[in-house]
Amino acid sequence: MAIEDNSVNIKSDGAKAAGAYHHGDLRAAVIAAGLKRLAAGDDGELGLRALARDVGVSATALYRHFPDKEALLDALADEGLRRLGALQAQAWLKAGGKVGGFKAIGAAYVRFAHDEPALFRLSFTRQMPDRKDEEDGGEVAYNLLRAGIGEALPGVTEPDAAALHAWALVHGLAMLILDRRIDWDEALVDKVVGLTFGGLAR
Amino acid sequence: MAIEDNSVNIKSDGAKAAGAYHHGDLRAAVIAAGLKRLAAGDDGELGLRALARDVGVSATALYRHFPDKEALLDALADEGLRRLGALQAQAWLKAGGKVGGFKAIGAAYVRFAHDEPALFRLSFTRQMPDRKDEEDGGEVAYNLLRAGIGEALPGVTEPDAAALHAWALVHGLAMLILDRRIDWDEALVDKVVGLTFGGLAR
DNA sequence: TCGGTATGTTTACAGTGGCAACATTATGGC
DNA sequence: GCCATAATGTTGCCACTGTAAACATACCGA
């Protein structure tokens, strides 16, 4: 066969170069393809074969990078939590911290669920087996919330109960919206979140 | 074949009588078997074949009573919502209505999720396509909550926001517990629910 | 009694996740 | 530079899933 000068098979998009045997970074490409699929349809139709086809690789190739499908979904879920955490941090900064920032975090939580329903659901439905040593994405999001309470609401008597309260509220709103129990209404969400989060700072 | 005197094949448990061709009330039996399976394991392993085997019938027989698996799951979900509604009504009465009853409704909601995780999740994950004429189980539960607000908290300024707030809070708590984000702790739940529901009655 | 209708069974098919054996490419020690 | 070896990808296969089609059996009204 003729000489191929590509030392490694670099492709910015996920697809493998035609005729190439090794992909380059299959693991990352599969995760990217999965996220794209989750973002595209409300019902995340992700199967190993479909995912593999997106990337241009045979289905069983994925098993070189993930022990099983669950592990793949875990990776996607973790990426979702990481993005949520990033959005919340951004919202907090943009609002200048304090009570306003606290409310912004809550609103960002619900908005993320609305914008990426399949990813959000996947991220939270997946139940982590037991704590691994490396910090996962969910930890980041919760710690941010918890820290926000400490900084924004110094007068609160029971920060744990308050944090749980705030978290449960936005999570419940998000879930009810995803499951079509209530309609997405940004103004209403803001009102409820503000009412509660403000109420905590009594 | 010899004469069989059973005019209809009545079986109190779900299983079909050996040698009988018709079941008697397959639809109800399948739903009962599904509920039992949901109650047994946290992960609801319900497949058509397994369900059919529980009842003692071939897998495709279920298609005489449900157009597809989704419809079967819908029926199970509806039963779950109905039970939730019943528990809430019971809690309300037992607590004697008013603010106490209102809190009891919230606690019952979370407790149900904890006691029947698979059924609760199924009930809410299933998204109803569009309103049918006959009233479904979920409507009952919400109307009860909504009515509870009116009766228990006459002074509340915005009952819709308050109802949504209360619902989201307990739903979020329930979901976070199911997904192992937080541990089940009845005292903590009562505290959070009480704190919030009491707070609404300002 | 007879025929239609409801209910259940058998068989089969496409699609799924996953294992095993094989093929190909990258890499590190000599 | 050469070559053993690990890393990565492919093909073939298996058990299992939901479900459609054709056939069998039981019930019920005329």
Side-chain angles (χ1 to χ4, degrees):
Chain A
M1 190 176 288
I3 301 172
E4 294 282 354
D5 61 337
N6 306 11
S7 64
V8 117
N9 189 6
I10 300 177
K11 295 281 301 169
S12 56
D13 64 325
K16 187 178 70 170
Y21 198 96
H22 283 71
H23 179 106
D25 191 356
L26 186 65
R27 179 182 166 101
V30 166
I31 291 185
L35 289 173
K36 192 176 300 180
R37 240 164 217 281
L38 286 172
D42 289 26
D43 54 341
E45 309 170 353
L46 63 176
L48 293 190
R49 284 163 170 87
L51 234 18
R53 195 173 334 112
D54 287 354
V55 176
V57 106
S58 79
T60 52
L62 307 188
Y63 282 86
R64 301 292 158 175
H65 299 270
F66 304 93
D68 59 357
K69 191 188 182 185
E70 295 298 295
L72 203 173
L73 295 183
D74 282 344
L76 288 172
D78 209 62
E79 177 61 22
L81 292 176
R82 195 160 284 123
R83 292 189 181 186
L84 171 57
L87 284 177
Q88 289 186 139
Q90 183 179 325
W92 165 266
L93 291 177
K94 191 170 183 178
K98 306 287 194 77
V99 176
F102 192 51
K103 290 181 187 176
I105 286 183
Y109 192 101
V110 181
R111 196 176 317 112
F112 177 73
H114 172 255
D115 290 346
E116 294 261 24
L119 181 56
F120 181 90
R121 173 174 274 124
L122 178 71
S123 293
F124 280 96
T125 293
R126 203 119 295 271
Q127 59 204 30
M128 48 211 61
D130 32 25
R131 287 273 155 264
K132 309 175 69 172
D133 48 345
E134 69 174 316
E135 179 172 35
D136 73 343
E139 214 66 15
V140 175
Y142 181 66
N143 286 338
L144 203 79
L145 176 71
R146 185 71 176 67
I149 293 211
E151 187 178 342
L153 314 173
V156 75
T157 56
E158 297 180 288
D160 274 323
L164 178 55
H165 179 153
W167 191 13
L169 180 81
V170 291
H171 193 72
L173 278 175
M175 278 306 195
L176 290 173
I177 289 170
L178 289 201
D179 291 335
R180 299 267 167 79
R181 249 61 198 191
I182 60 179
D183 290 330
W184 165 250
D185 177 345
E186 182 139 26
L188 180 57
V189 168
D190 279 347
K191 181 190 294 183
V192 171
V193 170
L195 183 147
T196 308
F197 284 32
L200 286 176
R202 206 170 321 159
Chain B
M1 189 177 288
I3 298 172
E4 294 282 356
D5 61 337
N6 306 10
S7 65
V8 114
N9 189 5
I10 298 177
K11 296 279 302 170
S12 57
D13 65 325
K16 186 177 70 170
Y21 197 97
H22 282 69
H23 179 105
D25 191 355
L26 186 63
R27 181 184 166 100
V30 166
I31 291 185
L35 290 173
K36 191 176 299 179
R37 241 164 216 280
L38 286 171
D42 290 27
D43 55 341
E45 309 171 354
L46 60 175
L48 293 190
R49 282 166 171 86
L51 234 18
R53 194 175 334 113
D54 286 354
V55 177
V57 107
S58 78
T60 52
L62 308 187
Y63 282 86
R64 299 293 159 175
H65 298 270
F66 304 94
D68 59 356
K69 190 187 182 184
E70 295 299 297
L72 204 173
L73 296 183
D74 281 344
L76 287 171
D78 210 62
E79 178 61 22
L81 292 176
R82 195 160 284 123
R83 292 189 180 187
L84 171 57
L87 284 177
Q88 289 186 140
Q90 183 179 325
W92 165 266
L93 292 178
K94 191 170 183 179
K98 304 288 195 75
V99 176
F102 193 52
K103 290 180 185 176
I105 286 182
Y109 193 101
V110 181
R111 196 176 318 112
F112 177 72
H114 172 255
D115 290 345
E116 292 263 23
L119 180 56
F120 181 89
R121 173 173 274 125
L122 177 70
S123 293
F124 280 96
T125 293
R126 204 121 296 272
Q127 60 204 33
M128 48 211 61
D130 32 23
R131 288 272 154 264
K132 307 173 73 174
D133 47 344
E134 70 173 318
E135 179 172 36
D136 72 343
E139 214 66 15
V140 176
Y142 182 67
N143 286 339
L144 203 79
L145 176 71
R146 186 69 177 69
I149 293 209
E151 188 178 340
L153 314 173
V156 75
T157 56
E158 297 180 288
D160 274 323
L164 178 55
H165 179 154
W167 191 14
L169 180 81
V170 291
H171 193 73
L173 278 175
M175 279 305 195
L176 291 174
I177 289 170
L178 289 201
D179 292 334
R180 299 268 166 79
R181 249 61 197 192
I182 59 179
D183 290 330
W184 165 250
D185 177 346
E186 181 138 25
L188 181 57
V189 168
D190 280 348
K191 181 191 292 183
V192 172
V193 170
L195 184 147
T196 308
F197 284 31
L200 287 177
R202 205 171 320 155

